[in-house]
């Protein structure tokens, strides 16, 4: 009888420890995810800061002859190139935005498409 009790105690101990360790790793993963989120650049914010002046909040303002982004057929990569190097009146953003910011804002412009 004593042996069984001892065995049960060991089992309970192992289960308790296992649960604890699991909680710890889950916490670590959550922390990492939070950190990664902070690094992610916000395409909306960049668009509102640098692009709205010509393209407008919905992409169709067309000031300074800006292309209507709602009807643009360019792919993300082609958009990245236009944003990076500029085109016609449009400013080249390679010295202003980081590559990951250019990517984020290019992806955001795709969401303006109708
Ligand atoms: C100074 C005004 C101006 C600003 C600021 C500006 N653009 Fe433009 N954009 C233009 C003009 C003008 C064109 C058309 C260029 C041409 O071919 O003559 C254009 C074209 C584009 C195109 C190509 C569309 C197509 O289908 O050909 C994309 C994509 C674009 N802009 C995205 C952006 C983004 C993203 C930003 C902000 C980072 C931005 N633009 C800021 C004026 C501007």
């Amino acid at each position: 009888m004593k042996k069984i009790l001892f065995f049960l105690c060991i089992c309970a101990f192992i289960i308790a420890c296992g649960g604890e360790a699991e909680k710890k790793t889950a916490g670590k993963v959550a922390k990492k995810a939070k950190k990664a989120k902070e690094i992610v650049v916000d395409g909306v914010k960049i668009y509102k800061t640098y692009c709205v002046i010509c393209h407008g909040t919905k992409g169709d303002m067309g000031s300074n002859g800006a292309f209507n982004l709602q009807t643009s057929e360019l792919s993300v990569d082609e958009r990245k190139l236009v944003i990076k190097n500029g085109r016609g009146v449009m400013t080249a953003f390679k010295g202003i935005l980081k590559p990951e910011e250019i990517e984020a804002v290019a992806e955001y412009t795709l969401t303006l498409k109708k």
Side-chain angles (χ1 to χ4, degrees):
M1 186 61 191
K2 252 190 181 172
K3 252 189 186 167
I4 292 174
L5 258 180
F6 182 64
F7 180 67
L8 281 179
C9 276
I10 300 260
C11 280
F13 184 68
I14 290 172
I15 291 167
C17 283
E20 208 41 51
E22 218 163 15
K23 254 192 218 155
K24 264 188 195 158
T25 32
K28 259 188 197 164
V29 169
K31 246 189 197 165
K32 258 193 190 159
K34 207 175 163 201
K35 244 191 182 169
K37 222 177 178 182
E38 279 165 9
I39 301 166
V40 164
V41 279
D42 188 351
V44 184
K45 213 167 146 191
I46 297 163
Y47 185 84
K48 285 190 176 150
T49 313
Y50 298 100
C51 323
V52 172
I53 353 159
C54 295
H55 291 282
T57 44
K58 295 191 182 109
D60 62 349
M61 189 165 80
S63 114
N64 289 315
F67 203 92
N68 185 347
L69 297 177
Q70 285 178 7
T71 57
S72 170
E73 294 293 331
L74 296 186
S75 68
V76 179
D77 285 335
E78 290 165 330
R79 282 164 199 242
K80 280 199 289 198
L81 276 181
V82 174
I83 299 163
K84 200 169 128 196
N85 302 319
R87 214 176 70 196
V89 185
M90 181 167 154
T91 333
F93 282 92
K94 62 182 166 212
I96 302 168
L97 297 172
K98 293 190 217 113
E100 60 265 31
E101 291 175 321
I102 291 177
E103 176 145 19
V105 78
E107 270 164 18
Y108 174 70
T109 61
L110 274 177
T111 67
L112 298 168
K113 206 166 157 180
K114 288 229 157 139

